[in-house]
Structures are given as C-alpha cells and as structure tokens.
Amino acid sequence: MYGVAKAHTENFNYVFFGIGSSLVVPGLIALYLEFNKAKRTETSGRANLAHFKTNSIRIPVDLSQCTVTANTWTQVREEKTNKEILFNELIGDSFENRETDNIAVSLVKYTTTVQGQRRTFTSAPVAKDKTTLLMLLEMQKETNIYIDRDGKYYYFDLEFLEK
C-alpha cells in the first residue's frame, strides 16, 4: 500500500508543477511586455519632444527677463506610526510632534512678441522654491521656447533644472 501511495503522490507533484508553471509563465510574459511598453513610451516621448523641437519656431529667452511666481505650504504627514504622536492624539493634541513637509511649486513666465502679437509663456510647474529657482535661472542665463508652426502649442525648455 505504501508503494502505491508514493507513486500516486509523485505523479500528482508533476501535474501540480505543470499546472502552476503554466499559470506563472503567461504572467511573466505579460510583465515583460508591460515593462518594454513603458520603456518604448519613454523613448517615444523623448523622440516626440526632439521632433517637436526640430520642427518648431525657436524663441531665445533671456532668463533674467522672466518672472517667477511661487506657492509654498507646509503639509502635515498623516502617518501615525510614532508612539509619541499616538499619545498626543489620545490627549487631544493630534498635531503636536507630527512630521511636516515644506512644499514649493514655482512657475516661470516670459512675455515677448511673437508673429506680431504679445504673448506670455508659462512653464510647467517646477518643484523648487522661488529663491532657488531664481538662482538657477541666473546661473543658466538663457534657454529657448519652442512654438509649433500654428502657434497653438509650445514647450518652455527648462531641462537644465533636472540636472
């Protein structure tokens, strides 16, 4: 009886392994394809930006002529892992000793005349405070704005801030 049960168990393990691996392999293939899709999208985004830059009107920008507007705020973290914070909540002072983050978001604006009309160009939000951003703009001195031929879309080139 022992020999028969052992033989049956061995066959069951092979079947179980076969079923399990047949379920895992498609998942691994899907992960591989998704990773490559994200990689292609990122590469495609850079290629599209490069194409936009080469086929657009380039406007040189003197960064000392730009204005910077900034918003800053302090955000209280919602984490409740610290024992002291939990104790403070019990006694009714829930914000005492809670960790905070200082957040700053700035915009760079540049006004100029393009194709006979006065336009103001605004950058994408930059995650830097106003003082730091002004200093970085002063160090860079100049950049470009790229406008499509229709004048509808533009790209304010602040890639130097990412370095």
Side-chain angles (χ1 to χ4, degrees):
M1 179 111 167
Y2 177 74
V4 173
K6 185 176 179 184
H8 181 64
T9 304
E10 286 179 10
N11 289 338
F12 178 74
N13 286 339
Y14 288 124
V15 170
F16 196 63
F17 178 76
I19 292 171
S21 61
S22 68
L23 293 174
V24 169
V25 169
L28 291 174
I29 291 171
L31 281 173
Y32 175 76
L33 293 174
E34 189 65 30
F35 176 74
N36 280 344
K37 178 183 174 185
K39 216 166 149 182
R40 282 192 311 267
T41 303
E42 181 181 328
T43 306
S44 147
R46 287 188 202 139
N48 287 341
L49 181 58
H51 178 70
F52 183 79
K53 284 181 175 182
T54 56
N55 294 320
S56 298
I57 302 167
R58 184 179 64 85
I59 300 172
V61 175
D62 178 8
L63 290 172
S64 65
Q65 301 300 314
C66 293
T67 58
V68 175
T69 57
N71 287 318
T72 59
W73 64 91
T74 302
Q75 180 174 317
V76 178
R77 290 190 189 174
E78 294 297 324
E79 300 169 358
K80 298 179 182 178
T81 56
N82 190 339
K83 291 178 185 176
E84 193 172 335
I85 293 172
L86 290 174
F87 178 74
N88 287 337
E89 282 193 12
L90 290 173
I91 62 172
D93 195 4
S94 62
F95 291 105
E96 183 67 27
N97 298 325
R98 189 162 297 176
E99 293 185 34
T100 59
D101 295 317
N102 294 320
I103 300 171
V105 177
S106 302
L107 296 173
V108 180
K109 294 182 181 183
Y110 182 69
T111 303
T112 188
T113 304
V114 178
Q115 299 173 340
Q117 61 183 7
R118 193 99 172 127
R119 286 189 62 180
T120 299
F121 299 97
T122 305
S123 71
V126 179
K128 297 193 183 308
D129 64 287
K130 185 175 183 176
T131 306
T132 303
L133 184 57
L134 284 170
M135 181 187 69
L136 291 169
L137 294 178
E138 186 65 32
M139 289 171 50
Q140 182 68 23
K141 304 259 188 256
E142 59 185 37
T143 190
N144 296 308
I145 294 176
Y146 299 92
I147 305 173
D148 70 339
R149 300 290 174 184
D150 297 332
K152 187 175 180 182
Y153 300 104
Y154 67 90
Y155 174 69
F156 202 131
D157 190 357
L158 295 177
E159 292 176 6
F160 63 90
L161 295 174
E162 297 171 8
K163 296 177 185 175

